[in-house]
Amino acid sequence: MKYKSDIEKMQVALAEAKKALKIDEVPIGAALFDNDDKLITKAHNRREIDQDPTAHAEILVIKEASQILKTWRLENTTLAITLEPDPMCAGAIVNARIKTLLYSSPNLKSGAAYTLYNIPQDKRLNHFVEIRDNILSHESEVILSSFFESKR
């Protein structure tokens, strides 16, 4: 199946975020697509389940895709994430050579792809990532809000 539009790609990531919500993880989902708009892999946060501070959806997708494709260079791929990546994930996106980053909502506390920093487009680094944001942001914010309201 091909996921041609940014919205279709983000819908895959949102479905993953909903899975995370059901297992009481911070509901963030990610999905990686190849140059032909085919899904390579998808994941959601697993920090609590795995007891691993690096088990963010983006990191899990990058690791799995590298194993599937048998290369750490994920050139010509598009990563869809339901929340702007933090510095760790933004750095991994650059290091994996991902071509395009799509994200839904800004991350006001640790956003590293516009809000606080812009690691994927820092000209001092060896790779530049195209960024498109605000894709289905309302849907993502509803999922995140419901999670955090349940914790209060």
Side-chain angles (χ1 to χ4, degrees), residues 3 12 21 23 27 34-35 38-39 41 47 49 51 54 57 71 78-80 102 126 128 135 142-143:
Y3 299 84
V12 176
L21 183 63
I23 59 172
D34 67 17
N35 201 39
K38 293 181 182 168
L39 178 66
T41 189
R47 290 188 306 173
I49 287 175
Q51 288 299 295
T54 68
T71 181
T78 298
L79 179 62
L102 312 174
N126 64 342
F128 183 88
I135 302 160
V142 166
I143 294 167

Side-chain angles (χ1 to χ4, degrees), residues 1-61:
M1 178 176 182
K2 288 193 174 194
Y3 299 84
K4 293 202 176 236
S5 73
D6 292 352
I7 289 173
E8 290 174 317
K9 291 175 176 128
M10 191 59 68
Q11 287 170 333
V12 176
L14 282 166
E16 285 297 308
K18 289 174 185 173
K19 289 179 187 176
L21 183 63
K22 287 181 183 176
I23 59 172
D24 206 31
E25 288 278 353
V26 175
I28 299 170
L32 189 72
F33 302 86
D34 67 17
N35 201 39
D36 293 322
D37 298 315
K38 293 181 182 168
L39 178 66
I40 298 169
T41 189
K42 59 189 177 178
H44 52 76
N45 274 11
R46 295 183 50 90
R47 290 188 306 173
E48 297 300 329
I49 287 175
D50 295 352
Q51 288 299 295
D52 179 354
T54 68
H56 290 205
E58 305 95 301
I59 300 296
L60 297 172
V61 162

Side-chain angles (χ1 to χ4, degrees), residues 2-150:
K2 288 193 174 194
Y3 299 84
K4 293 202 176 236
S5 73
D6 292 352
I7 289 173
E8 290 174 317
K9 291 175 176 128
M10 191 59 68
Q11 287 170 333
V12 176
L14 282 166
E16 285 297 308
K18 289 174 185 173
K19 289 179 187 176
L21 183 63
K22 287 181 183 176
I23 59 172
D24 206 31
E25 288 278 353
V26 175
I28 299 170
L32 189 72
F33 302 86
D34 67 17
N35 201 39
D36 293 322
D37 298 315
K38 293 181 182 168
L39 178 66
I40 298 169
T41 189
K42 59 189 177 178
H44 52 76
N45 274 11
R46 295 183 50 90
R47 290 188 306 173
E48 297 300 329
I49 287 175
D50 295 352
Q51 288 299 295
D52 179 354
T54 68
H56 290 205
E58 305 95 301
I59 300 296
L60 297 172
V61 162
I62 289 168
K63 284 182 172 183
E64 187 171 346
S66 295
Q67 295 301 306
I68 291 167
L69 300 174
K70 303 201 181 327
T71 181
W72 61 268
R73 290 180 179 91
L74 302 178
E75 298 163 329
N76 298 315
T77 60
T78 298
L79 179 62
I81 312 167
T82 58
L83 184 67
E84 178 184 3
D86 67 3
M88 174 183 70
C89 296
I93 290 164
V94 170
N95 285 316
R97 311 295 195 268
I98 290 170
K99 181 180 179 184
T100 306
L101 168 63
L102 312 174
Y103 71 84
S104 212
S105 302
N107 184 341
L108 302 178
K109 294 191 177 189
S110 63
Y114 282 148
T115 303
L116 300 179
Y117 312 99
N118 193 351
I119 293 170
Q121 295 183 333
D122 188 323
K123 293 181 193 291
R124 296 170 294 179
L125 299 177
N126 64 342
H127 181 69
F128 183 88
V129 180
E130 178 187 344
I131 299 173
R132 293 193 293 274
D133 63 347
N134 242 354
I135 302 160
L136 298 177
S137 59
H138 176 74
E139 290 84 342
S140 176
E141 289 164 6
V142 166
I143 294 167
L144 286 163
S145 294
S146 68
F147 174 78
F148 288 112
E149 284 173 11
S150 75

